[in-house]
Amino acid sequence: MKKVNPDKAQIVDIEYEGAAKLLQPIVFKNGDQYSCVLGIDNQTCIYGSGDSIEQAIQEWDNNLQVHLESAGTDDPIVRKVKDIIGMPDVPEKGKKEPANYESHINSIKDPDVAEQVRAFYNQFD
């Protein structure tokens, strides 16, 4: 996690794809680099950077996946992602109720977003 505080003039307006489409991280230009951040505050965030917008988002997405795989259900980023995607509380490991997850996933119209949500649920198997 990295401390980030972009100036509003640095924020780039883009059309998102994949997980970024669902989670809407902030993309901004910082000098010659682009940055992508999804955060709770200036100290709790998922961050990526690169020479292009695409590279910044890709690094952010990779960092997000690593974080979600290793963080517990009480982690602030996990809670934020759950809130954004409208995910019900996740039961303890081994007590997953597939019907609830499947109905939530099936209600998502964008197949890329549905796959991201499915991957998020699957990490709690």
Side-chain angles (χ1 to χ4, degrees):
M1 295 194 208
K2 180 176 177 127
K3 188 173 181 178
V4 182
N5 194 12
D7 184 294
K8 287 185 182 185
Q10 297 172 302
I11 296 175
V12 179
D13 186 29
I14 63 167
E15 184 137 348
Y16 295 99
E17 296 179 7
K21 183 175 183 176
L22 178 65
L23 301 176
Q24 301 279 312
I26 296 170
V27 176
F28 60 98
K29 187 161 185 173
N30 190 7
D32 291 341
Q33 293 279 303
Y34 288 90
S35 299
C36 182
V37 64
L38 174 72
I40 306 300
D41 55 39
N42 284 341
Q43 295 184 14
T44 307
C45 64
I46 302 297
Y47 177 84
S49 65
D51 294 331
S52 69
I53 293 171
E54 293 78 15
Q55 286 178 345
I57 292 174
Q58 183 60 51
E59 183 177 287
W60 168 82
D61 188 57
N62 291 342
N63 292 339
L64 175 66
Q65 296 307 318
V66 168
H67 183 83
L68 293 177
E69 289 171 7
S70 62
T73 57
D74 287 336
D75 177 82
I77 295 292
V78 171
R79 287 195 314 262
K80 181 175 180 106
V81 170
K82 285 171 49 177
D83 287 345
I84 291 170
I85 66 174
M87 181 177 173
D89 287 335
V90 177
E92 293 178 34
K93 278 189 179 281
K95 296 184 180 179
K96 180 177 172 185
E97 298 176 21
N100 292 337
Y101 292 110
E102 287 302 320
S103 64
H104 180 234
I105 292 166
N106 292 336
S107 70
I108 300 169
K109 293 180 182 176
D110 185 319
D112 292 332
V113 171
E115 189 55 36
Q116 291 289 331
V117 172
R118 182 180 306 285
F120 185 74
Y121 279 129
N122 286 340
Q123 69 185 326
F124 297 103
D125 282 339

